[in-house]
Amino acid sequence: MIKTVEWTDEGVRMIDQRLLPTEEKYLILRSCEEVADAIRQMVVRGAPAIGVSAAMGIALGTMQSVGTAVPDLEEDFDYFCDIMSGTRPTAVNLFWAIERMRERFRREKAAGADSEQIKERLIEEAQSIFREDIESNRALGRFGGELIHDGSTVLTHCNAGALATAGDYGTALGVVRGARDAGKRVAVIADETRPFLQGARLTAWELQKDEIPVTVITDNMAGHIMKQGKVDCVVVGADRIAANGDTANKIGTYMVAVLARQHSIPFYVAAPVSTVDLSLTSGEQIPIEERDSREVTHIRDQRLAPEGVAVQNPAFDVTPAELIAAIITDRGVARAPYMRTLRELFTQAEQE
Amino acid sequence: MIKTVEWTDEGVRMIDQRLLPTEEKYLILRSCEEVADAIRQMVVRGAPAIGVSAAMGIALGTMQSVGTAVPDLEEDFDYFCDIMSGTRPTAVNLFWAIERMRERFRREKAAGADSEQIKERLIEEAQSIFREDIESNRALGRFGGELIHDGSTVLTHCNAGALATAGDYGTALGVVRGARDAGKRVAVIADETRPFLQGARLTAWELQKDEIPVTVITDNMAGHIMKQGKVDCVVVGADRIAANGDTANKIGTYMVAVLARQHSIPFYVAAPVSTVDLSLTSGEQIPIEERDSREVTHIRDQRLAPEGVAVQNPAFDVTPAELIAAIITDRGVARAPYMRTLRELFTQAEQE
């Protein structure tokens, strides 16, 4: 099983996703700041993995706090939460995980826990988030797997696999693995996903490990491949889903959704309910991160574009709900009208 | 003025497009075989530039032939034409240029020219093709420039500029230059164009030289940028246009055309009439070159995808005529129904 991020006695252990697929190297991050840097620099990426990492980073920082009185500890804790909030703006799982940590702190404090007890409970909470992520992706994979026909070829964009989550199944690739584990034959076409190449580097790497057939294409081949009838459905992950179903995901997802519609190919989003942000009524309100132009102009130290050229580098785009055939979650499959169906899943999640 | 390919006393001189934008290096090719290799390896690329280069290569080979009798010369000449025909399958300008050389040979032979005279006339013919290419792109730029509104932002895919032709204006970028030279303000958004990065490397380089504002994006950003209302029209080149207007061009062009339609943005194709292949009734008959997977898995020596992964690498795709607002040629602007309008332009070209 691929372990993307893990709590260890030495610190938070992560596979360095910047080096894959040529090098499989693990880092031990020994402070909250190091975990925050790792998120910012995309050592770890993918909305659920960012959430798990942030929780672990906050637990780690708080554990190292020298404050013995609860108010001192709380001050440090708030500081670590703030650091984490500033790492990346789009994935809502980050804010969801921070809020869970805050809620746990409040609960333990209200129950009269002392500093040492609170530290322990925050570690527990981070580990719960980790475990739940793996479990919820297994559930999501089972629900989604039912939508995949035997013998299908699934096109995916970016990496919404084990490496985008705590590990194991993943979200979009969890659907693929769910279909495979239900005995269906399934192959994947992976958009390479410029500029960071999560498809070519990460999706290809983890599917190869899993012996699931995978073919890499450049992003601009998706339309041609669909026109040739080679794609049965599209499954992608999500960084934030608004209440109406509009979905922010890796840049290029919108393009794939438009092409899928053009070719009458079902386009599915796969994400745990923690990716749904009911506070936003539409995708227009989702903040889109603009990243360093160097990601576009260079590959490692290799310059691709002339010096001084203007570049845009939005890391995400928003796919309108009307292009989405279904949103596959850990609580079941939502279909339009999403304003109602997503809220139902969410309520159900809270009741359990 | 950028000179992509040139006839010199030493041989055929070309800028090595594989090294741009980081290195501006010129090669002197001293045999027909060397020119053919340069076409195959994409030292030179772009349909009109391939046509010009092929004609020069054939002239060069024939010039070096030791055959003094015309039948011996013809045998060598046919051999050189065959070498050139086998370089790349999609761009019809290649076959058009070879046919022009064959026609000139036949004409000179019929008129009783001797070997030395034929050699000279073939060099003349190659130089005519070179000159006509530059002139026709100037004409195309004037016609196309009229379609561009003052203050427009033009999105283009791949490089259909000076570097894709004999030099100077180019086709799609000829339209941009035509608008600029008519006094209009115009800016360009260049898709980087994976896998060979003609947009990031070549379009950005030549527009920077020309001081035309250019912004590079990854191919998968085109939809997002269009949705933001930042694109006024799309102009691309062509490698082969069927009689019905279906257009083969660099992989990803079809994707851009679908996205343009989704956002009601006019999508223009710019190409000289020598790119039109009236012998094909639809785009389905255009042969699509599949190139080495290494172009996708590596950038120079940097490995991007895991070893042994399956890859597809079609170099071109076909955009159906119904997505094309107009085809801008050196003889004027054709609009649907292309089956009639393209034939008219062609006939007109032949009559002059």
Side-chain angles (χ1 to χ4, degrees):
Chain A
M1 173 178 137
I2 294 166
K3 289 199 172 172
T4 305
V5 52
E6 238 185 321
W7 181 269
T8 75
D9 291 342
E10 293 170 278
V12 178
R13 185 172 177 270
M14 279 181 192
I15 186 165
D16 189 341
Q17 301 196 28
R18 298 168 305 178
L19 304 180
L20 288 172
T22 43
E23 209 180 323
E24 188 173 336
K25 187 179 159 187
Y26 293 81
L27 303 178
I28 302 281
L29 308 170
R30 295 174 202 278
S31 70
C32 179
E33 288 83 351
E34 280 184 27
V35 175
D37 275 347
I39 293 172
R40 223 177 271 116
Q41 294 166 23
M42 295 171 75
V43 171
V44 66
R45 27 62 54 200
I50 290 172
V52 171
S53 302
M56 287 185 179
I58 290 167
L60 182 64
T62 312
M63 185 184 90
Q64 292 164 343
S65 167
V66 293
T68 48
V70 171
D72 294 345
L73 187 73
E74 189 162 17
E75 204 174 297
D76 285 358
F77 172 80
D78 284 341
Y79 169 75
F80 295 129
C81 290
D82 288 348
I83 288 181
M84 281 300 166
S85 300
T87 50
R88 298 194 65 192
T90 305
V92 78
N93 313 58
L94 172 68
F95 306 102
W96 170 88
I98 295 170
E99 189 44 40
R100 262 191 65 164
M101 296 299 279
R102 285 195 194 274
E103 173 55 30
R104 184 68 186 254
F105 193 106
R106 279 192 292 268
R107 206 178 343 134
E108 297 299 334
K109 184 180 157 196
D114 65 23
S115 283
E116 287 313 305
Q117 286 168 327
I118 291 177
K119 288 179 181 183
E120 267 172 44
R121 302 289 153 72
L122 290 176
I123 296 171
E124 266 176 40
E125 189 69 22
Q127 285 176 321
S128 293
I129 292 175
F130 170 88
R131 268 194 316 275
E132 288 168 29
D133 185 59
I134 288 178
E135 283 160 20
S136 72
N137 291 329
R138 283 269 167 170
L140 184 162
R142 277 191 300 275
F143 288 124
E146 289 171 20
L147 300 178
I148 307 297
H149 303 292
D150 184 35
S152 284
T153 298
V154 175
L155 184 138
T156 191
H157 188 73
C158 194
N159 171 270
L163 290 167
T165 60
D168 183 45
Y169 242 45
T171 54
L173 299 188
V175 171
V176 170
R177 292 185 169 106
R180 190 254 335 250
D181 291 346
K184 295 172 184 171
R185 289 160 305 164
V186 57
V188 172
I189 293 175
D191 283 356
E192 65 172 4
T193 318
R194 284 279 292 146
F196 203 65
L197 296 164
Q198 291 93 335
R201 297 193 303 103
L202 309 179
T203 295
W205 180 81
E206 67 167 87
L207 291 178
Q208 262 193 341
K209 276 205 170 228
D210 245 11
E211 295 179 2
I212 294 172
V214 56
T215 301
V216 173
I217 60 171
T218 61
D219 302 314
N220 61 20
M221 291 174 192
H224 178 65
I225 299 284
M226 287 182 188
K227 192 150 139 248
Q228 291 181 314
K230 291 182 180 168
V231 177
D232 297 300
C233 68
V234 176
V235 187
V236 298
D239 288 81
R240 194 184 301 214
I241 302 172
N244 70 344
D246 290 354
T247 296
N249 190 47
K250 182 51 53 196
I251 187 71
T253 302
Y254 170 59
M255 165 200 88
V256 176
V258 170
L259 292 168
R261 168 63 51 93
Q262 171 82 6
H263 297 93
S264 306
I265 294 167
F267 178 91
Y268 301 119
V269 169
V273 290
S274 55
T275 307
V276 180
D277 183 352
L278 291 183
S279 76
L280 305 184
T281 52
S282 95
E284 285 169 35
Q285 298 162 279
I286 301 174
I288 299 295
E289 177 182 12
E290 180 83 19
R291 289 185 63 86
D292 190 345
S293 63
R294 200 185 149 91
E295 288 183 356
V296 174
T297 57
H298 288 71
I299 287 197
R300 305 229 168 132
D301 292 329
Q302 181 73 56
R303 171 173 279 286
L304 309 177
E307 224 166 310
V309 77
V311 163
Q312 295 214 5
N313 188 17
F316 304 94
D317 59 26
V318 174
T319 299
E322 65 258 29
L323 296 176
I324 302 170
I327 298 176
I328 303 161
T329 78
D330 46 330
R331 300 284 165 164
V333 175
R335 295 192 185 260
Y338 294 108
M339 196 64 92
R340 180 170 60 75
T341 56
L342 285 177
R343 198 167 290 271
E344 281 169 4
L345 287 177
F346 219 80
T347 314
Q348 180 191 344
E350 280 173 352
Q351 279 166 349
E352 281 174 26
Chain B
M1 174 178 134
I2 294 166
K3 289 197 172 172
T4 306
V5 52
E6 238 185 323
W7 182 266
T8 75
D9 291 343
E10 294 170 276
V12 178
R13 184 173 178 271
M14 278 180 194
I15 187 165
D16 189 341
Q17 301 195 28
R18 298 168 304 178
L19 304 181
L20 287 170
T22 42
E23 209 180 324
E24 189 172 336
K25 186 178 161 189
Y26 292 82
L27 303 178
I28 302 282
L29 308 170
R30 296 173 200 278
S31 70
C32 179
E33 288 83 352
E34 280 185 25
V35 175
D37 274 347
I39 294 172
R40 223 176 273 118
Q41 293 165 24
M42 296 172 74
V43 171
V44 66
R45 29 61 53 199
I50 290 172
V52 172
S53 303
M56 288 185 178
I58 291 167
L60 181 64
T62 313
M63 186 185 89
Q64 292 165 342
S65 167
V66 293
T68 49
V70 171
D72 294 343
L73 188 72
E74 189 162 17
E75 204 173 298
D76 285 357
F77 171 81
D78 285 341
Y79 169 76
F80 295 128
C81 291
D82 289 347
I83 288 181
M84 282 300 167
S85 301
T87 51
R88 299 194 64 192
T90 304
V92 78
N93 313 59
L94 172 69
F95 306 100
W96 169 88
I98 295 169
E99 189 45 41
R100 261 190 66 163
M101 296 299 279
R102 285 194 194 274
E103 174 54 30
R104 184 67 185 256
F105 193 106
R106 280 193 291 268
R107 206 180 340 136
E108 296 301 333
K109 183 181 157 194
D114 65 22
S115 283
E116 288 312 305
Q117 287 168 325
I118 291 176
K119 289 179 181 183
E120 269 172 41
R121 302 291 154 70
L122 289 178
I123 295 171
E124 267 175 40
E125 189 68 23
Q127 285 175 320
S128 295
I129 292 174
F130 170 88
R131 269 194 317 275
E132 289 168 28
D133 184 60
I134 287 177
E135 285 160 18
S136 72
N137 291 330
R138 283 269 168 173
L140 183 161
R142 278 191 300 276
F143 289 123
E146 290 171 20
L147 300 178
I148 308 296
H149 303 294
D150 184 34
S152 285
T153 298
V154 175
L155 184 138
T156 191
H157 189 74
C158 196
N159 171 270
L163 290 167
T165 60
D168 183 45
Y169 242 46
T171 54
L173 299 187
V175 171
V176 170
R177 292 184 169 106
R180 190 255 334 253
D181 291 347
K184 295 172 184 170
R185 290 159 304 164
V186 57
V188 172
I189 293 174
D191 282 355
E192 65 172 3
T193 318
R194 284 279 292 146
F196 203 64
L197 295 165
Q198 291 94 335
R201 298 193 303 105
L202 310 178
T203 296
W205 180 81
E206 67 167 89
L207 290 178
Q208 262 194 341
K209 275 205 171 229
D210 245 11
E211 295 178 4
I212 295 172
V214 56
T215 301
V216 173
I217 61 170
T218 60
D219 301 314
N220 60 20
M221 291 173 193
H224 178 65
I225 299 285
M226 287 182 187
K227 191 151 140 251
Q228 292 180 312
K230 291 182 179 169
V231 177
D232 297 299
C233 68
V234 176
V235 188
V236 299
D239 287 81
R240 194 184 302 216
I241 301 171
N244 71 344
D246 290 354
T247 295
N249 190 47
K250 180 52 54 197
I251 188 72
T253 302
Y254 170 60
M255 167 198 85
V256 176
V258 169
L259 291 168
R261 168 62 54 91
Q262 171 82 6
H263 298 93
S264 305
I265 295 168
F267 178 92
Y268 300 121
V269 169
V273 290
S274 55
T275 307
V276 179
D277 183 353
L278 292 182
S279 75
L280 305 184
T281 52
S282 96
E284 283 169 35
Q285 297 162 280
I286 301 174
I288 300 295
E289 178 182 12
E290 179 84 20
R291 290 185 63 85
D292 191 344
S293 63
R294 201 186 148 90
E295 289 183 356
V296 174
T297 56
H298 288 70
I299 286 195
R300 304 230 169 130
D301 292 329
Q302 180 74 55
R303 171 174 280 286
L304 309 177
E307 224 167 309
V309 77
V311 163
Q312 295 216 6
N313 188 17
F316 305 94
D317 59 26
V318 175
T319 299
E322 66 257 28
L323 296 177
I324 301 170
I327 298 176
I328 304 160
T329 79
D330 47 330
R331 300 284 165 165
V333 175
R335 294 192 186 259
Y338 294 108
M339 196 64 92
R340 178 169 63 71
T341 56
L342 285 177
R343 198 166 292 271
E344 281 169 6
L345 288 176
F346 218 78
T347 316
Q348 180 192 343
E350 279 173 352
Q351 278 166 353
E352 281 173 24

